[in-house]
Amino acid sequence: MISQFRTLWIVSTVLSLAWMGRTWFPALSADAPVLKAAFSHENTHTVYTLQEVDVPPIPVNMDQVRQEIGYPEFMMLDGIQGTEVFLVQVDATGRYVSQVSHQSSHPLLRMAAEDYLSHLSFRPALRQGQMVACWTQVSVSFPEK
């Protein structure tokens, strides 16, 4: 009986707070123009795949970033080697946005590479003559090939 009363009290409290929030703070309402704009499809930007663009994004400072990554000596001594492949999201201005590990040959190699991928800069992808956001593939080999 007490647990049912507690559950009923919690539900009624949450509903009351939600109603008060909409009444006292109309900007938090789902009907508010600010939230409508934030969640409308007009403000979302398409991120294309490599197959959907005419010219893929091209890293302009890969050699510099590759030097920053290096090849940790303990990995070299232990014979840890391989290629790490990442999918990197690039915005329409050529800036790094995010990354996802796509293929990893060793967790230590992945960790060594992923911290530096955010330093990459790109020539943006082009689609129908317009600069667009795009996912691209970046590979880092240990040792460098």
Side-chain angles (χ1 to χ4, degrees), residues 85-135:
V85 180
F86 295 91
L87 297 177
V88 176
Q89 183 182 351
V90 180
D91 73 9
T93 64
R95 286 188 305 228
Y96 164 94
V97 175
S98 65
Q99 70 196 29
V100 176
S101 178
H102 180 64
Q103 179 181 346
S104 180
S105 53
H106 195 282
L108 292 174
L109 297 176
R110 179 183 47 77
M111 290 179 356
E114 69 186 356
D115 290 339
Y116 292 95
L117 291 179
S118 63
H119 299 178
L120 283 171
S121 297
F122 295 83
R123 251 187 271 143
L126 295 176
R127 179 184 161 120
Q128 299 174 351
Q130 299 291 321
M131 295 187 301
V132 294
C134 181
W135 285 96

Side-chain angles (χ1 to χ4, degrees), residues 39-88:
F39 292 108
S40 75
H41 292 291
E42 298 165 10
N43 287 347
T44 58
H45 299 284
T46 303
V47 180
Y48 295 97
T49 64
L50 286 174
Q51 293 78 20
E52 297 174 308
V53 297
D54 303 322
V55 179
I58 299 169
V60 295
N61 64 337
M62 188 64 189
D63 292 336
Q64 175 188 348
V65 171
R66 185 66 188 100
Q67 278 186 317
E68 290 177 14
I69 295 170
Y71 187 20
E73 187 175 345
F74 75 91
M75 288 188 213
M76 192 179 341
L77 295 173
D78 287 345
I80 299 173
Q81 56 184 344
T83 300
E84 302 302 304
V85 180
F86 295 91
L87 297 177
V88 176

